[in-house]
Amino acid sequence: MIDARVFRYGVKAAARAAATLAMIAVTGCLGGPAERQSGAVAPSLAGVYADFFPIGTAVQPRTLSSHNELITRHFTSLTAENHMKLHTIRPTSSRVDYSGADSVVDFAEAHGMMVRGHALIWHEAAPNWFFHDSGSRADPEIIRRRLQNHITETVARYRGRVYAWDVVNEGISDSAGFLRDTIWLETLGPQYIADAFRWAHAADPDARLFYNDYSAIEPGKRERIVRLVNELRADGVPIHGVGIQGHWTLTWPPVSMIRDAIERYADLGLDVEITELDISFYSWDDRTTRYPTLTDTMEQRQAARYEEIFRLFREYSDVITNVTFWGVADDVSWLNYIPVQGRPNYPLLFDRAHREKQAFFAITDF
Ligand code: GLA
């Protein structure tokens, strides 16, 4: 198992994960014992999955303290929810701010956890200043140099500490065509993707480099991603994996669709990571507010859904190299704000009081 981890994650991250898992094996957890109402101690989620894949969570600098106990007890991999994105690191032309990203990486190291880097390029993290000079559109070559500088500096800063990077996030179109029509494509042309992977690889040759997207399991988009991977590889561009975001619902996608995508990517020899998992009670287009509280029936449905998904993940543990939840507990999920501001949602394994939900027990009790 350790050898496989070294191969997948690099020597340092593998050594950290091994030490952390050894501690979980001895103490049953990384933090203090959590009591269920029945008095039984809930297991560590990452401990239960130690032989399958690392379990991660997306964090913010403030949740490192507000959700400290859950994070240290249940997870062995961290992703910065927003603090490694371009607009956070470079909010203006004269400001560079790695403080949030540093706090996540330092915390991970102090607690023997791995870090996924997210994300070097994303169309929603494209600050206006990056594309302009003195009020008018900057020369594309200047923008390209800025991007190269950002990627090189960021990946080099965390070299050996961040084991994987989402190099391009959401760069493929949802329906027609091939590449998504973004400001990056418009400004730099299709070449920006290959360039970004090459720059990231040069800055840390040991980092695993991912293309990450939502709907990466939907057959049409899946095949466009496969086309991208094949084209990059034909050009000798280093790409090691596909990140399946996993913002799913109680009914979508069907497990068979997830299975087909995992197999398709694995057949290409790619690492597969589930990078942003949550199970919403609403479909994306549903803007109603039908669930003001979380009822027992709702919890049961969600638990059954999480269970079928994790059964599948366990079947493919030889190709899945990370499963990361998008947030720690329901109180800090982005789904309470997007797409409907202030609408409560309950997509994660821990409730607003940080208690394990039925979904937690459904995926740990097998
Ligand atoms: C996308 C991005 C994430 C996060 C979510 C939710 O999935 O990849 O970083 O911002 O949207 O907002």
Side-chain angles (χ1 to χ4, degrees):
M1 193 66 205
I2 298 302
D3 287 345
R5 281 198 194 111
V6 169
F7 173 70
R8 286 170 163 182
Y9 309 118
V11 178
K12 280 193 188 164
R16 275 205 299 277
T20 306
L21 291 169
M23 191 185 303
I24 290 172
V26 173
T27 63
C29 65
L30 283 169
E35 302 283 330
R36 283 174 75 177
Q37 272 168 358
S38 65
V41 176
S44 157
L45 179 60
V48 170
Y49 279 88
D51 287 337
F52 294 96
F53 30 71
I55 301 271
T57 182
V59 294
Q60 305 162 29
R62 70 183 172 93
T63 59
L64 292 174
S65 40
S66 61
H67 292 61
N68 182 286
E69 227 175 279
L70 288 181
I71 293 169
T72 53
R73 180 176 166 74
H74 292 292
F75 302 96
T76 47
S77 177
L78 298 185
T79 302
E81 191 166 339
N82 290 307
H83 286 75
M84 284 189 183
K85 292 173 181 167
L86 172 55
H87 67 304
T88 311
I89 291 175
R90 300 178 198 279
T92 69
S93 58
S94 56
R95 199 160 154 237
V96 179
D97 183 1
Y98 281 100
S99 59
D102 283 352
S103 69
V104 172
V105 176
D106 290 347
F107 183 99
E109 231 162 43
H111 293 88
M113 298 168 168
M114 306 157 69
V115 181
R116 290 198 86 256
H118 172 86
L120 296 171
I121 300 183
W122 184 35
H123 59 95
E124 285 197 28
N128 205 32
W129 74 264
F130 210 84
F131 301 87
H132 292 87
D133 264 334
S134 333
S136 47
R137 195 65 172 240
D139 186 274
E141 191 51 28
I142 291 179
I143 300 167
R144 191 169 171 276
R145 290 287 158 231
R146 283 179 183 159
L147 184 61
Q148 178 176 18
N149 174 55
H150 170 68
I151 291 178
T152 304
E153 186 181 293
T154 304
V155 175
R157 184 183 186 88
Y158 300 115
R159 182 174 174 161
R161 305 173 76 197
V162 166
Y163 84 94
W165 278 100
D166 291 331
V167 178
V168 175
N169 191 33
E170 302 179 354
I172 292 210
S173 75
D174 284 335
S175 43
F178 177 37
L179 297 182
R180 187 184 184 117
D181 192 7
T182 68
I183 189 152
W184 297 111
L185 181 67
E186 186 195 313
T187 318
L188 303 177
Q191 183 63 22
Y192 84 90
I193 298 183
D195 286 344
F197 277 87
R198 286 203 172 99
W199 294 329
H201 185 65
D204 184 354
D206 293 328
R208 307 295 284 171
L209 303 182
F210 282 75
Y211 174 79
N212 190 55
D213 214 326
Y214 65 88
S215 301
I217 42 69
E218 185 275 316
K221 196 160 180 181
R222 182 192 74 203
E223 291 309 309
R224 284 188 284 281
I225 294 173
V226 167
R227 175 179 158 193
L228 174 71
V229 170
N230 286 335
E231 289 186 6
L232 290 173
R233 282 177 160 178
D235 278 349
V237 176
I239 175 165
H240 309 112
V242 169
I244 295 173
Q245 288 187 359
H247 295 297
W248 295 334
T249 74
L250 293 179
T251 52
W252 189 90
V255 165
S256 60
M257 193 185 280
I258 307 172
R259 179 191 298 277
D260 289 348
I262 294 172
E263 289 192 358
R264 183 81 169 106
Y265 296 134
D267 282 349
L268 296 176
L270 294 163
D271 293 353
V272 177
E273 305 206 337
I274 312 299
T275 55
E276 305 184 19
L277 183 61
D278 47 26
I279 304 290
S280 172
F281 282 90
Y282 297 94
S283 66
W284 187 253
D285 295 334
D286 183 351
R287 304 293 148 99
T288 63
T289 301
R290 280 173 292 135
Y291 308 115
T293 57
L294 178 64
T295 64
D296 191 53
T297 313
M298 286 164 67
E299 263 209 59
Q300 281 172 25
R301 282 189 66 200
Q302 187 184 45
R305 178 70 168 145
Y306 263 115
E307 185 177 343
E308 67 173 7
I309 288 170
F310 269 79
R311 270 186 202 285
L312 178 79
F313 290 168
R314 291 200 297 266
E315 260 187 68
Y316 289 91
S317 63
D318 54 335
V319 295
I320 295 177
T321 49
N322 191 311
V323 174
T324 286
F325 290 84
W326 203 245
V328 185
D330 286 345
D331 55 327
V332 285
S333 166
W334 69 294
L335 290 171
N336 295 311
Y337 307 99
I338 299 173
V340 178
Q341 173 67 33
R343 178 179 71 180
N345 207 328
Y346 319 90
L348 298 164
L349 300 184
F350 303 97
D351 68 15
R352 283 170 163 65
H354 302 187
R355 285 180 307 239
E356 298 87 359
K357 290 159 63 181
Q358 293 184 37
F360 173 90
F361 295 106
I363 66 166
T364 52
D365 187 15
F366 59 87

